[in-house]
Amino acid sequence: LLFLWSITVSIFGIGGLLGSSGSRYLTVKYGKKKCLLCNNLLMIVAASIMGCSKIAQSFEMILIGRFMCGVSAGLCVPLHHQYVGEISPKKLRGFANSTSSFFWSLGKAIGQISGQRELLGSQSLWPMLMASCGFPALVQLVMLPFFPESPPYLLMHKGDLEGCKKAIRQLWGEGQHQAEIDDIMKEKATMKNTKILSVLELVKEPAFRWQLYMIVILTATVQLCGINAV
């Protein structure tokens, strides 16, 4: 029983690893907006499976739902950061990107509070707690169609200059946005002459060795800060 619940808890991270590994390929092929929409559907399906696990008397449904939830979270983190950053005007880009971390932490806090026995952590209400991750996905699924695709994606990967201009006007209003379009064109030209490294090539590249050391140390020590115990 301990082994089964350990797998149920840790399989979220395995799904997250798979989801984040496939995010680059999916965003280039289908665009960030479409990927986010499909990702919301995946999260809603995962929430529904976990929410119905008690009625079906199936712990396997919790296992499958946790895995799907992990895949969805692994896709969502890089997708969300990229999309929010690319649809924001340059002067608000830093602020917009920082909101991701804020709401990530807020979501964890709300989850911890909701999981108390006095709220949704009781014997009768825990399926509702498991299914609650589908609510934010449902909100985004309803609202995201009213937003355009990322302007840099339209111009750099699709070559759709008019679509890019239309998206910029929809996001930032009417006005002169030629400077932003020129920046995207410069980035596109730079990318043509830049080799995209695989994970293995990145690890082997001496020029990035110290940056990798810093990231690994920071990520590892975050796990030791006590947040899990709290």
Side-chain angles (χ1 to χ4, degrees):
L1 195 62
L2 179 63
F3 176 75
L4 281 173
W5 284 119
S6 299
I7 292 291
T8 304
V9 171
S10 59
I11 203 166
F12 178 88
I14 297 168
L17 179 64
L18 291 174
S20 59
S21 300
S23 62
R24 180 180 169 270
Y25 169 77
L26 292 171
T27 52
V28 171
K29 188 170 178 62
Y30 300 108
K32 296 169 180 67
K33 181 183 171 181
K34 284 182 183 176
C35 285
L36 281 170
L37 285 169
C38 293
N39 193 49
N40 290 326
L41 289 172
L42 180 63
M43 181 63 86
I44 291 167
V45 171
S48 302
I49 290 172
M50 290 190 291
C52 296
S53 59
K54 187 178 181 183
I55 298 171
Q57 295 184 338
S58 169
F59 75 88
E60 293 92 348
M61 289 176 70
I62 301 176
L63 195 68
I64 294 166
R66 285 278 296 171
F67 177 73
M68 291 173 66
C69 201
V71 172
S72 179
L75 280 167
C76 181
V77 173
L79 275 173
H80 183 77
H81 275 283
Q82 289 173 31
Y83 185 70
V84 168
E86 289 177 4
I87 66 172
S88 305
K90 190 180 287 186
K91 61 183 179 182
L92 295 175
R93 200 160 292 161
F95 169 75
N97 277 323
S98 67
T99 59
S100 302
S101 302
F102 170 76
F103 283 108
W104 185 261
S105 303
L106 182 65
K108 283 186 176 182
I110 292 171
Q112 292 283 353
I113 294 165
S114 303
Q116 298 301 308
R117 293 183 189 276
E118 293 79 8
L119 298 173
L120 297 178
S122 63
Q123 278 195 336
S124 58
L125 294 177
W126 68 260
M128 193 180 296
L129 177 66
M130 298 287 284
S132 62
C133 59
F135 177 69
L138 182 62
V139 172
Q140 193 179 66
L141 186 66
V142 172
M143 295 182 70
L144 196 58
F146 296 100
F147 287 77
E149 181 56 90
S150 158
Y153 172 78
L154 290 170
L155 187 55
M156 292 169 65
H157 296 286
K158 292 294 183 182
D160 186 0
L161 181 59
E162 287 305 313
C164 175
K165 288 179 178 178
K166 184 180 177 182
I168 287 174
R169 284 194 297 269
Q170 185 179 341
L171 288 164
W172 306 341
E174 297 294 334
Q176 291 295 323
H177 302 297
Q178 190 57 43
E180 286 82 358
I181 294 171
D182 291 340
D183 286 342
I184 298 170
M185 292 296 289
K186 286 177 186 175
E187 188 178 347
K188 184 179 180 181
T190 304
M191 281 183 67
K192 281 184 178 178
N193 302 319
T194 304
K195 183 188 175 185
I196 304 298
L197 300 176
S198 67
V199 175
L200 190 60
E201 288 172 332
L202 183 68
V203 171
K204 290 180 178 179
E205 179 60 51
F208 301 119
R209 196 66 46 80
W210 280 105
Q211 292 92 320
L212 278 171
Y213 287 158
M214 288 174 66
I215 290 168
V216 168
I217 291 167
L218 283 170
T219 307
T221 49
V222 162
Q223 303 304 315
L224 304 175
C225 73
I227 186 65
N228 293 327
V230 170

